Amino acid sequence: MFDRRLLQCFDWGLLFLTLAISGAGLVVLYSAIMAGAGAPDPLLFRKQIIWYGGGLVAMAICFTIDYKQIERFGNIIYLVSVVSLILVLFFGKYVSGARRWLYLGPFSLQPSEMAKIAVVIVLSRYYAKIISTEGLTFRDLAIPTILTAIPFLLIARQPDLGTAIIIVLISISMTLFVKIERRTFTWMGVACGVIIPLSSFFLHDYQIRRIRTFLDPTQDPLGAGYHIIQSKIAIGSGMITGKGFLMGTQNALSFLPEQHTDFIFSVLAEEWGLAGASTVMLLFLLLVVWGIRIAGHCREPFGVILSVGITAMIACQVVINIGMVMGLVPVVGVTLPFISYGGSSVVTMLMGIGLLMNVSMRRFRFQ
Amino acid sequence: MTNYLDSVNSDWFNHRLGVAMTLVITAFVVLMARLVYLQVVEGADFRRQSELNSIRVKIVDAPRGLIYDTKGRLLVDNRPSYDLGIVPRAAVPLDRTLETLSHLSGIPTEQLYKPIEKIKDSKNYNKPVWIGPDIDRNALAAIEVNRWDLPGIVVNVSPRRDYLFGPSAAHILGYVGEISEDELKSTTYRYYRVGDYIGKYGMERAREPWLRGKRGGQQVAVNAVGQVVRVLNTVDAVPGHNVVLSVDHSLQVVAEQLLSDHSGALVAVEPDTGQILAMASSPSFDPNAFVSGMSHEAWQALITDAQFPLTNKAIQAEYPPASTYKVIAAAAGLEEGLIDETTTFFCPGFFKLGNRTYRCWKRWGHGEVDIYKALSESCDVYFYKLGQELGVDRLAWYAWGFGLGEVTGIDLDHEAGGLVPTAAWKKRRTGVSWQKGETLSVVIGQGFNLTTPLQVAMMTAAVGNGGTRYRPRMIKTIQTADGRDLYAAVPEVRGQLPVSKRNLEIIREGLFRTVNTRTGTAFKSRLQGGIMSGKTGTAQVVGRREDDSGRGQESVVKDHAWFMAYAPHNHPQIAVAVILEHGEHGSTAAAPVAANLIRFYFSGDMQAEKTAGPGTGASSGQE
């Protein structure tokens, strides 16, 4: 089964890119965790390195198994993921108002992170069978809608709105890539244009207010708006060259909220300036472009759609997270891949990279 | 392998991937543009904001100078005051935190909430709001123990003025209070800030520039909840200078006790230097009440009190000198050659001028009276005759020579100058010419005459020391916080009494007999060894109170009681002036007060302290 060509075609560039981003991520995370008193638990940094070890193993597993096998067991993977999402609602660890973590010995896992990959796999499997140049009709869309809705609702219930939204965005990206039939698409557009304004009639005042604050956090300068203001100050004050490693005042003096998870890009931009932040952004762009190129080199639909799905996952999180900390996108809890602290996030992202490598190194089958 | 190329070929996919690529690149370009905007275009502004965010300038107020008595006993101190503050942003939930705090501190929740309400709309939610000034130690302990349950609560320690003996010497020491808006606008207080405490009265006010010190500052880095994490820069505060008064605290306390039942004043002075040994004004007030801020009612009660507790009667109140003035009249008569020690007049108990009769205080008369008897028995008729010959203007010249009619120049604010009437003054003031009868009032110290107790005390001191008039001094030294002398009072001669040595001895003999002969008006108050000399006085009240109807009626009709004294007779170490408002007679009310004070001054207690020596304790740095 093992083919020598697998090794020849191994995607070293992708590995290098991934390690470069991860390395930069660890440097920034070190600062976010260690700088200043009253910062998060210093043990978190060591924990993250252990997670990286585990993540690299998971990545290796993901590229070793032929993705054809993964396609075959796609339904089972999805089912396991949904079951773990149900389990977490009942047995999950309750942390600051949400049940997101399942205990696995000394470590805890976030099933919602794994669910992203499961949704990508199950949708790729489905779309690969029905893909056509005409595009998808309403009937074709029924099953993908259900497949997305189940994890979305389960995750939103935890509640973890950020991850739930990411799952929907991945699903939408993949569906648009596969193409929606023109008339269906038009009808969907019309439906959205009617339903959204109408819905405001049926919502209570406080619900509308809540949505408004969500869209425009400056209306709430003590809550969400405060975080965004401090984050913008952190990024802007980095200027071109940054304040230097461990020297970010916004970070060290805990003006930044969640500086080691959601707002880690602000730490990067504050301490390393435009030079550091744009370098990391370019690395991300390169990674996404690389993912699209892998899809382009693949010669069969499942591989293409899978690559697109994984790439969409990475791209969505990067764009939303960076957009969010710079005040372009409403604040939803979305982590920055490879850089934010979080074991499940790291493992999920490295598994995604493993799947991309998987597709990339097996492209020779069609040459 | 799947035969998918029939329907969906590689070109079709590549086209769609191309669109995806464009979208991705567009998104990244937008992000990059935003990044450049934040870091380059607005970068400098955000950098400044980040510094403002974390760098604060903390004012460190200088400790105010302390005030000691002449023997180095601390009178005015600074004590730590614990002020409660809250950082509204950090104190969540606010209501619960305030409730807990109210429970622990005993301050009602509404009172704690008031200052927070005020800043609610401003952007200062990151700065502490001061909600409980000067909490007591028990509350502080309770709060410290329960810190974990009080998010965002901060306790600040600031120095607060502490008048250790409360109302004792309150008129000398004065008090501090928060600077008012009007004071902030004036150029005197150019360098002051809102919330500063300044001297408002007494020594605190008169020596404000010395006591104040120089404020320091700290540049500190704070975190998001306002806690100081690092001190970047410090400019040390320079403590204010210490003031050592010439007042002796034990003598002062005795003086206040002696006055405690009356409205009145007492001044004791060292005749050879002009240093004030004690200065009491009764009733007094507690200056501590001003420091923590007084309620409107308490303030109203103080300023409407008929006995004027806020007035330092020793230097601000003006009374007719009454018979103490006879010392001046005697000097004038002797110097002008109208009388000598052998001259006698006959006192039948009254004196006729034109068709009016002026009575002596002794109805049946003193009989043959010489100058000694005239002074010691305070014969009015003798002085009526003398006054008639002297005339008001010559009397006035001598009164000025004894220091009346002008401020003595003591180092306290608001000193009153009194009044020495002349014929020209009356014409100018009322348009009516001087009447001969009015001279008879003036010569026995009534009528238009007005003096302060301090003026009488200084006159007494000059008579006692042989004729030298000194400027009265309240401050002995001013020292830096580490004990270096910046100023030391030296006796300052203001002039000599316009009396020859020989004539002054005649007057001094008269004063000796006042106390030490059986017929003297103050014989009952004589001291062992005959050391005290003095002069009684009884100021008529009704006549000059026609326009002053605000006071209680029953005591208004009673006269003011005066006594001036020095001791020991030959070389006095202390001179005293006492006035008791509505005390009736100098001999029965005022003389015992002065006698008791002088007795205490020469008693074992005082003398024991004296040998301990001045200059100890006041300046720990010197030792």
Side-chain angles (χ1 to χ4, degrees):
Chain A
M1 168 90 204
F2 191 81
D3 198 317
R4 268 183 59 86
R5 277 182 297 179
L6 278 177
L7 215 61
Q8 281 171 358
C9 292
F10 184 76
D11 199 335
W12 294 104
L14 181 57
L15 181 67
F16 174 77
L17 255 181
T18 307
L19 292 180
I21 296 176
S22 304
L26 283 174
V27 170
V28 178
L29 186 72
Y30 182 84
S31 178
I33 288 176
M34 300 301 192
D41 185 359
L43 269 180
L44 292 185
F45 187 71
R46 212 181 301 166
K47 263 184 161 177
Q48 180 83 340
I49 289 180
I50 295 170
W51 277 113
Y52 259 107
L56 289 172
V57 172
M59 183 181 84
I61 295 170
C62 280
F63 69 68
T64 314
I65 303 167
D66 190 333
Y67 66 87
K68 284 276 135 198
Q69 300 297 317
I70 292 171
E71 182 179 15
R72 196 195 296 168
F73 293 109
N75 283 343
I76 293 168
I77 294 171
Y78 180 76
L79 214 65
V80 169
S81 173
V82 169
V83 169
S84 65
L85 284 175
I86 294 170
L87 283 178
V88 82
L89 284 182
F90 291 100
F91 306 107
K93 189 163 64 166
Y94 197 79
V95 178
S96 50
R99 277 185 209 283
R100 295 179 185 171
W101 286 271
L102 268 186
Y103 268 120
L104 291 173
F107 289 101
S108 46
L109 256 178
Q110 253 178 301
S112 57
E113 288 288 335
M114 309 299 172
K116 291 189 256 186
I117 300 244
V119 168
V120 169
I121 291 171
V122 80
L123 285 182
S124 304
R125 188 169 179 273
Y126 176 78
Y127 285 141
K129 280 184 192 140
I130 62 160
I131 191 164
S132 73
T133 46
E134 280 77 39
L136 306 164
T137 61
F138 272 120
R139 200 184 307 158
D140 298 327
L141 287 173
I143 290 174
T145 305
I146 293 167
L147 289 176
T148 309
I150 292 170
F152 171 81
L153 292 173
L154 287 171
I155 294 171
R157 183 112 187 85
Q158 292 180 353
D160 183 355
L161 201 59
T163 311
I165 286 173
I166 288 294
I167 285 192
V168 171
L169 287 177
I170 293 170
S171 170
I172 289 174
S173 315
M174 290 173 73
T175 309
L176 287 175
F177 174 72
V178 172
K179 190 179 179 185
I180 299 172
E181 191 249 341
R182 194 172 292 271
R183 275 211 343 262
T184 312
F185 191 71
T186 313
W187 277 114
M188 284 167 75
V190 171
C192 284
V194 173
I195 289 168
I196 292 173
L198 264 185
S199 62
S200 65
F201 285 105
F202 299 100
L203 288 172
H204 288 290
D205 273 356
Y206 77 90
Q207 286 170 318
I208 294 173
R209 242 192 336 266
R210 212 177 275 174
I211 291 170
R212 261 204 210 126
T213 350
F214 175 72
L215 293 175
D216 180 12
T218 52
Q219 292 185 352
D220 180 18
L222 287 171
Y226 173 79
H227 295 161
I228 278 304
I229 292 161
Q230 295 298 348
S231 170
K232 275 158 75 177
I233 292 175
I235 295 169
S237 67
M239 299 179 76
I240 292 172
T241 51
K243 292 178 185 169
F245 183 51
L246 298 177
M247 304 294 278
T249 53
Q250 293 285 102
N251 169 36
L253 305 173
S254 47
F255 283 98
L256 277 177
E258 306 285 327
Q259 76 265 38
H260 61 303
T261 57
D262 293 358
F263 283 84
I264 196 150
F265 186 80
S266 314
V267 179
L268 165 69
E270 184 184 20
E271 300 194 343
W272 299 94
L274 183 66
S278 58
T279 304
V280 169
M281 253 162 68
L282 281 174
L283 286 174
F284 272 123
L285 178 60
L286 212 55
L287 182 68
V288 173
V289 169
W290 205 281
I292 293 173
R293 275 193 57 230
I294 289 172
H297 286 307
C298 183
R299 286 289 174 270
E300 55 89 44
F302 177 75
V304 175
I305 301 170
L306 181 72
S307 310
V308 168
I310 297 293
T311 309
M313 174 178 85
I314 297 172
C316 282
Q317 287 198 214
V318 169
V319 171
I320 289 184
N321 178 279
I322 297 180
M324 169 180 101
V325 299
M326 292 198 298
L328 288 176
V329 179
V331 178
V332 286
V334 172
T335 55
L336 186 59
F338 306 109
I339 297 186
S340 287
Y341 172 79
S344 305
S345 167
V346 163
V347 171
T348 306
M349 285 300 154
L350 287 174
M351 278 168 72
I353 295 294
L355 289 176
L356 281 179
M357 288 169 166
N358 195 335
V359 175
S360 175
M361 66 205 276
R362 287 181 175 82
R363 63 183 187 270
F364 61 87
R365 283 195 292 224
F366 307 99
Q367 282 168 348
Chain B
M1 292 292 118
T2 330
N3 187 17
Y4 78 102
L5 289 168
D6 296 343
S7 56
V8 186
N9 63 25
S10 155
D11 286 344
W12 186 83
F13 262 136
N14 280 340
H15 169 70
R16 298 195 74 76
L17 287 170
V19 173
M21 188 84 85
T22 314
L23 284 174
V24 166
I25 291 174
T26 310
F28 271 84
V29 166
V30 169
L31 290 182
M32 191 60 92
R34 177 70 171 177
L35 189 67
V36 169
Y37 171 77
L38 289 177
Q39 297 197 299
V40 180
V41 180
E42 301 276 306
D45 192 42
F46 279 121
R47 175 66 65 94
R48 218 189 56 244
Q49 280 192 46
S50 86
E51 278 157 11
L52 285 180
N53 228 353
S54 56
I55 296 175
R56 304 262 158 85
V57 173
K58 230 179 97 186
I59 297 293
V60 180
D61 282 319
R64 204 173 165 83
L66 308 179
I67 303 181
Y68 297 92
D69 89 337
T70 187
K71 292 189 184 126
R73 281 173 293 212
L74 191 57
L75 303 179
V76 183
D77 196 5
N78 300 312
R79 67 174 170 81
S81 155
Y82 299 94
D83 306 319
L84 267 186
I86 187 168
V87 181
R89 238 203 88 70
V92 276
L94 186 62
D95 291 343
R96 211 186 60 81
T97 308
L98 285 182
E99 232 163 77
T100 315
L101 191 64
S102 168
H103 176 71
L104 293 171
S105 65
I107 306 171
T109 320
E110 308 82 69
Q111 198 181 322
L112 294 173
Y113 198 73
K114 227 182 257 167
I116 305 172
E117 189 92 287
K118 264 189 224 160
I119 63 117
K120 225 170 180 193
D121 300 324
S122 76
K123 285 183 177 161
N124 285 342
Y125 44 81
N126 259 337
K127 284 190 191 153
V129 185
W130 301 107
I131 52 176
D134 203 9
I135 55 169
D136 66 52
R137 275 173 185 278
N138 292 338
L140 176 71
I143 286 163
E144 287 297 337
V145 170
N146 292 286
R147 256 295 165 70
W148 53 272
D149 204 20
L150 296 164
I153 296 298
V154 288
V155 176
N156 189 46
V157 190
S158 63
R160 189 166 277 252
R161 210 61 166 159
D162 192 7
Y163 300 95
L164 296 172
F165 299 98
S168 177
H171 296 100
I172 303 170
L173 303 172
Y175 53 82
V176 295
E178 219 171 303
I179 190 163
S180 72
E181 266 173 52
D182 289 339
E183 284 163 331
L184 269 175
K185 280 180 205 144
S186 80
T187 50
T188 322
Y189 299 105
R190 210 172 341 178
Y191 300 111
Y192 288 69
R193 294 157 41 103
V194 177
D196 276 352
Y197 277 80
I198 58 163
K200 297 262 183 176
Y201 181 67
M203 204 48 85
E204 294 273 27
R205 180 188 154 93
R207 297 297 142 209
E208 168 74 18
W210 296 85
L211 290 166
R212 168 129 205 96
K214 231 162 122 188
R215 92 167 92 241
Q218 267 184 342
Q219 212 179 34
V220 294
V222 297
N223 65 12
V225 291
Q227 289 165 320
V228 174
V229 283
R230 199 151 48 96
V231 176
L232 303 170
N233 238 322
T234 307
V235 177
D236 285 327
V238 181
H241 303 308
N242 297 335
V243 170
V244 181
L245 300 180
S246 59
V247 166
D248 188 298
H249 177 66
S250 1
L251 193 68
Q252 177 75 20
V253 168
V254 171
E256 282 159 1
Q257 281 165 359
L258 291 169
L259 287 188
S260 58
D261 296 335
H262 298 270
S263 176
L266 181 154
V267 178
V269 62
E270 202 171 69
D272 284 342
T273 59
Q275 300 241 357
I276 303 289
L277 297 170
M279 179 185 280
S281 176
S282 178
S284 190
F285 61 92
D286 186 354
N288 289 310
F290 287 87
V291 184
S292 41
M294 196 178 279
S295 71
H296 182 71
E297 294 79 45
W299 171 245
Q300 283 299 321
L302 266 181
I303 59 170
T304 55
D305 191 319
Q307 295 194 318
F308 301 109
L310 291 180
T311 303
N312 184 358
K313 298 189 177 82
I315 62 168
Q316 287 173 274
E318 296 168 315
Y319 307 92
S323 298
T324 59
Y325 188 86
K326 288 173 181 165
V327 171
I328 297 168
L334 289 165
E335 285 298 309
E336 295 296 317
L338 299 174
I339 51 170
D340 59 25
E341 66 268 38
T342 59
T343 315
T344 58
F345 293 120
F346 182 76
C347 168
F350 60 89
F351 179 76
K352 273 206 152 110
L353 182 73
N355 52 4
R356 270 198 71 177
T357 304
Y358 292 81
R359 303 208 66 88
C360 186
W361 68 268
K362 202 169 181 180
R363 216 175 269 187
W364 52 90
H366 287 94
E368 283 297 324
V369 181
D370 64 0
I371 182 65
Y372 301 116
K373 194 172 174 185
L375 282 171
S376 68
E377 296 181 25
S378 205
C379 176
D380 290 337
V381 171
Y382 184 95
F383 287 100
Y384 289 148
K385 285 183 176 160
L386 192 56
Q388 197 190 11
E389 289 175 48
L390 279 165
V392 67
D393 291 342
R394 270 204 282 184
L395 269 172
W397 187 84
Y398 282 92
W400 287 323
F402 275 74
L404 303 192
E406 62 166 351
V407 292
T408 61
I410 190 171
D411 33 13
L412 281 173
D413 289 346
H414 306 301
E415 191 192 355
L419 176 66
V420 173
T422 60
W425 167 83
K426 194 197 165 193
K427 181 83 182 161
R428 197 167 61 240
R429 185 68 193 272
T430 63
V432 183
S433 296
W434 191 262
Q435 307 295 306
K436 282 221 151 122
E438 286 167 340
T439 308
L440 302 192
S441 288
V442 167
V443 78
I444 59 162
Q446 316 285 358
F448 298 110
N449 276 315
L450 287 176
T451 56
T452 65
L454 178 63
Q455 285 172 330
V456 175
M458 294 320 291
M459 172 178 99
T460 311
V463 172
N465 71 22
T468 308
R469 283 175 48 224
Y470 288 99
R471 178 177 182 154
R473 290 292 189 186
M474 187 57 92
I475 295 172
K476 192 164 124 189
T477 54
I478 295 179
Q479 302 174 330
T480 59
D482 51 15
R484 208 158 35 81
D485 271 12
L486 294 172
Y487 162 88
V490 284
E492 186 184 324
V493 177
R494 299 207 89 200
Q496 298 290 328
L497 295 182
V499 191
S500 69
K501 276 262 169 315
R502 204 178 149 270
N503 286 338
L504 191 62
E505 268 319 306
I506 295 170
I507 293 168
R508 284 169 50 84
E509 177 61 21
L511 298 186
F512 179 81
R513 291 187 192 178
T514 304
V515 183
N516 298 301
T517 57
R518 198 161 291 278
T519 52
T521 51
F523 180 67
K524 282 189 184 125
S525 298
R526 71 193 178 281
L527 292 180
Q528 215 175 6
I531 58 165
M532 182 169 84
S533 301
K535 180 77 196 78
T536 56
T538 303
Q540 292 159 10
V541 170
V542 183
R544 59 176 288 270
R545 290 247 172 258
E546 290 157 343
D547 56 345
D548 195 354
S549 53
R551 302 193 177 191
Q553 284 304 309
E554 80 283 1
S555 66
V556 158
V557 292
K558 290 186 184 169
D559 297 336
H560 295 330
W562 272 110
F563 193 67
M564 57 179 269
Y566 52 81
H569 176 75
N570 289 330
H571 189 86
Q573 292 167 28
I574 182 170
V576 183
V578 183
I579 182 154
L580 297 180
E581 290 183 5
H582 316 299
E584 254 181 312
H585 298 294
S587 54
T588 53
V593 169
N596 282 329
L597 188 80
I598 290 171
R599 186 180 293 125
F600 176 77
Y601 186 71
F602 291 109
S603 72
D605 297 347
M606 268 300 276
Q607 295 307 312
E609 283 173 7
K610 253 188 178 170
T611 50
T616 52
S619 45
S620 50
Q622 283 180 327
E623 286 151 350

